[in-house]
Amino acid sequence: MKKTYINGVGCISAQKTFDTIFLEEAVENNTETVLSVNAPVYKDYIAPAAARRMAKGIKNGIVASALALKDANSENVDAIITGTGLGCIEDSEKFLKNILDNNEEFLTPTSFIQSTHNTVGAQIALNLKCKGYNFTYVNGAVSFESALLDAKMQIENDEVNSVLAGGIDENGDYTISLFKLAGRVKNELEQPFNFLTSTTTGAVHGEGAVFFVLENEKKDTTYAQIVDVEIKNNLEENEIEGEITAFLKTNNLQVSDLDAVILGYNSDAKFDSYYKNTAENIFAQTPQLYYKHLCGEYDTASAFALWTASKIIKTQEVPEILKANSVIRPAYNTILLYNQLSGKNHSFTLLSK
Amino acid sequence: MKKGVAITGMGIISSIGNSVEENFDSLLNEKLAITRIEHITTVHADIIKVGEIKKTNSELVDDLKLTAENNFSRTAMIGAYAAKQAVKNAGITSINEYRTGLISATSVGGMDMTEKHYYDYFTNPELVKYISCHDGGDVADKIAEELGIKGLVTTISTACSSAANSIMLGARLIKSGKLDRVIVGGTDALAKFTINGFKTLMILSDDYNKPFDNNRKGLNLGEAAAYLVLESDEVVEKQNKKVLARVSGYGNANDAFHQTASSENGDGAYLAMKKAFEVSGLKPSDIDYINVHGTATPNNDLSEGRAILRIYEDEKVPDFSSTKPFTGHTLAAAAAIEAVYSVLAIQNGVVYPNLNFETPMEEFDLKPHTSLKNKNIEHVLSNSFGFGGNCSTLIFSKS
């Protein structure tokens, strides 16, 4: 069975992550309830005429995937698999508002077309002239992990040699206002926000596009190997430890073998307890890292976590800004990622050197 | 030929019936269900024709025994309705007894509720519960909850090929040994959003859709949900289950030509079919019936027809038909309902008529089968293509 290696990465996030080494310019913003991407210079990647009508998610996806390909010294791939929670939500908002405001008249197709969830994957395929397998997953917080699982399965089965896998989501003003109404966003009055000691509900939201070139061969550019990915739609808080232990066991590992665990704290006290319980118990002696204070919460935020894990294994450095406790290790070769959103859509991703 | 993945249950709700039996009866008796729209208020109501499920939302709430506080979108309700049928049909009583997953598909998700309440959320606190049902994943989440599934649950959204891709992923998960059992399919309710979207693309017909006809004017939208249960051979043997048919081949490729139009030679479609033949180990001449995508848009049928001719080269193209004149184009559910129809074709040895066909297309010599035909069917090929150049082919075979 072939192994899956991360051979290239590209990250557009609320931090400056597109032309930096690894979070050396990262800044924690603990006053905003919604974080926006630190945008790259799009015209370096996309012709300005084309970019003008392009959704934010498409632009970020195109740039992040181009960065990943360049990083992997690859020009093309056998498959493109993306994950997105809400797709190009700004265009969905625009098209729906036009329908409602103009009584279904004077509509143009552009925003309807871009609102289709697989638009980003399709646009990347169009740019690369990639006629291979092209899937898009839309399942809340496991949208990206579904893409990873699919990619890994096809590499293992020897159906493809290389996959471009990524997670993309964008903020939409009206959708964010609805999220605020539904209590999913932090109350502005409660800032400054502290992700590790939060006692209030709602999360700091964000957006981003992160892509990976996954290949069946180790090469000079290799970051890490994706050992396993597991998705569970529903778990009770008291089932998490057992789930993690069993997941590690199927990979012949114990908690003590982990050099770090990356947890998806999003400042929502109601559901951060899923992480906190494991942090205080099975992971008490494990270096614990967090990241959503840098990129915000969104359905595919866990792709940002995979990016940080890849960088840590390759550089063997853990930026201070990611540390949730003071435990350190002499080397960082095996990392576990655990994420969930509102107690649903749990994912466990295991990486090794 | 390689042994495919076993299908042990099916469930469906569409404009032509609320069960597998009702759907089959409509197909046999040419009972199409393309009508004026009743459940959605739209300025296009007098122009367009749709394949609408005639159950109202409150009837669906009753059927599913949901509480008054539920926040199910129509997409989730019809999805749960079909998925429950499939599980029952497969004789499953203890859903988590084996490693069981759910792979759903949708294009609009909970848009039917979003568009109804979009501006009212701020003034009516009772509606706030519907905000979270907008996203595609919520549909699978609700279906999984209704079925009691605890495990791998995910959703594919690749426009009109979505459900083909969920069947494909499910088959792969079983073949790779990652799951013992998986419920696969798709669901999409009609929405003003999609009606207007297709309207702006100018591919909606004001008449009954006529696939592969020279004078075709576009598609009729429809709504539907269908799910199939796939099980590993170990589970089938252990439980001595009846296998309805098998998923023997699958392929997905991208046309990489245009965001919403298919290439002239149907490159993506050709590659998808080619891959499906490779996976199944079958030859094009082994296929007894093709359930074409056949949306009746000028672009799709030309591109699909050319791709089929490329696959068959000098050989005779088997009987083919589009069932969309019966149901309308049900978007992310289309490949799932057509998978159910393909299995029924194999089980009962029938080729469905391509209704409304009159005049062959001038670009090539391809004529769909226009009347019901009884014959032995070993293998059915089913095509589904979507925006973003997404092309998928499934092959179903007699067990």
Side-chain angles (χ1 to χ4, degrees):
Chain A
M1 205 157 69
K2 293 270 172 69
K3 289 176 176 166
T4 306
Y5 297 96
I6 299 175
N7 286 347
V9 302
C11 181
I12 305 297
S13 71
Q15 302 298 326
K16 197 156 182 281
T17 44
F18 50 89
D19 61 352
T20 49
I21 303 162
F22 182 28
L23 294 177
E24 66 278 12
E25 292 180 40
V27 186
E28 181 177 355
N29 179 336
N30 56 13
T31 56
E32 302 285 333
T33 58
V34 180
L35 309 178
S36 303
V37 294
N38 190 320
V41 182
Y42 294 114
K43 68 170 169 51
D44 292 351
Y45 301 88
I46 310 162
R52 207 164 352 108
R53 273 158 44 133
M54 233 178 228
K56 196 162 53 169
I58 300 176
K59 285 194 283 191
N60 290 330
I62 288 177
V63 177
S65 59
L67 290 170
L69 284 167
K70 194 173 162 220
D71 193 34
N73 288 324
S74 297
E75 288 189 348
N76 218 321
V77 287
D78 297 332
I80 298 169
I81 311 180
T82 62
T84 179
L86 295 169
C88 298
I89 191 73
E90 279 192 323
D91 281 272
S92 301
E93 290 181 4
K94 208 186 291 173
F95 194 67
L96 182 52
K97 282 187 170 177
N98 281 339
I99 290 174
L100 299 174
D101 297 348
N102 304 315
N103 196 29
E104 306 180 70
E105 285 179 303
F106 320 117
L107 298 163
T108 53
T110 306
S111 50
F112 174 68
I113 294 166
Q114 297 200 116
S115 77
T116 316
H117 290 90
N118 63 329
T119 299
V120 179
Q123 285 289 327
I124 293 170
L126 207 49
N127 282 347
L128 294 175
K129 293 271 165 259
C130 176
K131 297 193 177 186
Y133 182 93
N134 195 306
F135 264 35
T136 297
Y137 291 91
V138 293
N139 206 84
V142 296
S143 303
F144 172 66
E145 283 69 21
S146 301
L148 271 189
L149 184 76
D150 186 358
K152 189 170 169 289
M153 189 160 61
Q154 295 202 52
I155 287 175
E156 282 175 357
N157 296 349
D158 221 358
E159 295 180 77
V160 294
N161 299 319
S162 59
V163 181
L164 192 54
I168 320 100
D169 271 296
E170 61 175 36
N171 290 325
D173 289 343
Y174 195 76
T175 302
I176 288 287
S177 75
L178 293 179
F179 282 3
K180 283 182 178 167
L181 183 67
R184 284 169 66 173
V185 182
K186 276 233 139 0
N187 184 334
E188 280 119 18
L189 303 174
E190 287 160 2
Q191 51 120 330
F193 308 117
N194 188 315
F195 276 63
L196 297 176
T197 57
S198 172
T199 53
T200 55
T201 58
V204 172
H205 275 253
E207 57 181 1
V210 189
F211 272 83
F212 302 86
V213 172
L214 308 177
E215 290 174 317
N216 59 5
E217 278 179 352
K218 214 169 180 170
K219 54 187 204 187
D220 291 349
T221 65
T222 297
Y223 285 78
Q225 184 202 335
I226 300 180
V227 180
D228 204 356
V229 182
E230 185 178 81
I231 291 170
K232 281 275 156 83
N233 63 325
N234 241 320
L235 288 169
E236 302 296 327
E237 264 185 66
N238 61 17
E239 292 176 311
I240 301 300
E241 291 199 5
E243 194 66 37
I244 290 173
T245 320
F247 175 67
L248 292 175
K249 202 176 161 202
T250 50
N251 290 290
N252 301 313
L253 292 175
Q254 299 176 342
V255 171
S256 56
D257 295 320
L258 295 176
D259 299 313
V261 58
I262 304 186
L263 300 168
Y265 288 108
N266 72 1
S267 75
D268 183 345
K270 196 169 164 195
F271 297 104
D272 273 354
S273 50
Y274 275 88
Y275 306 117
K276 207 158 268 177
N277 288 340
T278 63
E280 286 167 1
N281 294 301
I282 51 169
F283 295 134
Q285 305 304 319
T286 310
Q288 299 167 11
L289 314 176
Y290 71 126
Y291 58 97
K292 287 181 189 163
H293 57 310
L294 303 179
C295 66
E297 176 66 282
Y298 56 99
D299 287 315
T300 49
S302 51
F304 183 86
L306 186 66
W307 177 81
T308 62
S310 308
K311 288 274 187 180
I312 289 169
I313 291 176
K314 189 167 187 175
T315 63
Q316 288 295 307
E317 266 175 48
V318 182
E320 283 300 320
I321 201 163
L322 295 174
K323 290 180 180 171
N325 69 357
S326 55
V327 182
I328 53 165
R329 285 279 198 275
Y332 294 88
N333 296 331
T334 308
I335 298 181
L336 175 73
L337 284 71
Y338 167 43
N339 188 52
Q340 51 83 23
L341 183 53
S342 304
K344 284 177 183 171
N345 293 321
H346 303 260
S347 66
F348 307 91
T349 305
L350 186 63
L351 286 193
S352 79
K353 198 180 163 82
Chain B
M1 185 201 141
K2 295 160 200 162
K3 200 173 175 189
V5 176
I7 301 169
T8 58
M10 307 193 288
I12 185 170
I13 180 168
S14 76
S15 60
I16 61 168
N18 301 331
S19 65
V20 172
E21 293 73 26
E22 283 181 25
N23 271 267
F24 188 56
D25 182 66
S26 297
L27 290 168
L28 291 185
N29 296 300
E30 300 200 3
K31 285 190 250 173
L32 54 79
I34 303 296
T35 62
R36 292 288 179 213
I37 196 160
E38 285 173 23
H39 296 149
I40 293 175
T41 324
T42 163
V43 299
H44 311 302
D46 296 333
I47 308 157
I48 60 164
K49 291 188 170 77
V50 295
E52 190 175 42
I53 293 170
K54 292 306 173 199
K55 277 180 186 286
T56 62
N57 281 356
S58 63
E59 284 170 330
L60 287 163
V61 166
D62 290 344
D63 287 340
L64 292 167
K65 299 187 181 66
L66 301 177
T67 62
E69 294 78 40
N70 86 81
N71 68 339
F72 274 62
S73 60
R74 184 171 174 85
T75 306
M77 283 195 279
I78 59 174
Y81 189 98
K84 280 184 153 182
Q85 270 183 19
V87 168
K88 194 174 167 210
N89 182 229
I92 296 169
T93 46
S94 173
I95 195 93
N96 294 311
E97 183 182 359
Y98 294 97
R99 290 173 304 160
T100 303
L102 168 69
I103 314 297
S104 191
T106 185
S107 70
V108 284
M111 181 60 86
D112 60 291
M113 289 301 171
T114 305
E115 66 186 25
K116 210 180 285 176
H117 305 311
Y118 210 46
Y119 289 144
D120 302 329
Y121 288 128
F122 290 93
T123 49
N124 188 348
E126 278 177 25
L127 295 175
V128 171
K129 65 180 182 184
Y130 286 113
I131 291 175
S132 66
C133 80
H134 174 81
D135 80 283
D138 178 77
V139 175
D141 182 42
K142 293 248 171 31
I143 297 172
E145 211 174 294
E146 284 295 299
L147 300 177
I149 290 182
K150 231 174 146 162
L152 171 58
V153 173
T154 193
T155 306
I156 293 167
S157 193
T158 52
C160 307
S161 58
S162 302
N165 293 342
S166 78
I167 296 169
M168 200 177 303
L169 179 73
R172 248 197 197 99
L173 285 162
I174 299 282
K175 271 195 187 173
S176 310
K178 301 224 183 276
L179 291 176
D180 303 312
R181 183 155 75 187
V182 61
I183 293 130
V184 295
T187 174
D188 255 338
L190 277 168
K192 218 184 244 193
F193 190 89
T194 9
I195 292 169
N196 282 285
F198 281 86
K199 183 93 190 154
T200 61
L201 289 165
M202 295 184 287
I203 49 178
L204 289 184
S205 171
D206 56 2
D207 202 349
Y208 296 105
N209 75 82
K210 305 162 80 114
F212 283 84
D213 189 289
N214 203 43
N215 304 314
R216 65 199 182 283
K217 291 159 77 178
L219 56 86
N220 304 124
L221 285 169
E223 60 183 354
Y227 288 84
L228 298 93
V229 178
L230 308 182
E231 297 190 273
S232 72
D233 285 336
E234 291 76 51
V235 172
V236 167
E237 266 169 49
K238 213 184 270 178
Q239 309 213 322
N240 199 16
K241 281 235 170 125
K242 185 183 168 201
V243 176
L244 310 179
R246 288 178 180 270
V247 182
S248 54
Y250 45 75
N252 171 269
N254 198 282
D255 209 24
F257 170 73
H258 186 271
Q259 188 60 35
T260 55
S262 301
S263 62
E264 204 162 314
N265 288 315
D267 265 358
Y270 172 78
L271 291 170
M273 286 188 271
K274 212 163 153 261
K275 277 192 201 176
F277 280 117
E278 279 162 23
V279 169
S280 67
L282 294 168
K283 305 182 299 293
S285 58
D286 293 325
I287 301 296
D288 302 298
Y289 167 54
I290 301 177
N291 184 286
V292 291
H293 186 50
T295 57
T297 64
N299 178 237
N300 176 80
D301 295 2
L302 179 59
S303 178
E304 183 175 14
R306 285 196 168 135
I308 289 171
L309 287 171
R310 280 171 72 189
I311 285 286
Y312 279 88
E313 293 178 314
D314 304 328
E315 291 178 82
K316 187 179 170 288
V317 175
D319 291 331
F320 74 91
S321 67
S322 165
T323 43
K324 289 187 171 75
F326 285 93
T327 59
H329 186 6
T330 60
L331 309 178
I337 68 167
E338 288 159 28
V340 171
Y341 299 162
S342 299
V343 172
L344 287 169
I346 292 171
Q347 287 182 308
N348 299 285
V350 286
V351 171
Y352 309 115
N354 187 111
L355 303 179
N356 309 331
F357 177 85
E358 289 165 332
T359 320
M361 286 166 63
E362 61 189 21
E363 292 89 348
F364 44 54
D365 180 24
L366 269 183
K367 260 172 74 179
H369 199 78
T370 54
S371 58
L372 193 75
K373 177 175 175 179
N374 293 299
K375 69 169 191 183
N376 182 46
I377 295 184
E378 295 286 330
H379 308 285
V380 177
L381 181 146
S382 176
N383 279 333
S384 294
F385 312 133
F387 283 177
N390 209 285
C391 299
S392 297
T393 299
L394 297 171
I395 299 176
F396 300 96
S397 299
K398 200 173 253 183
S399 184

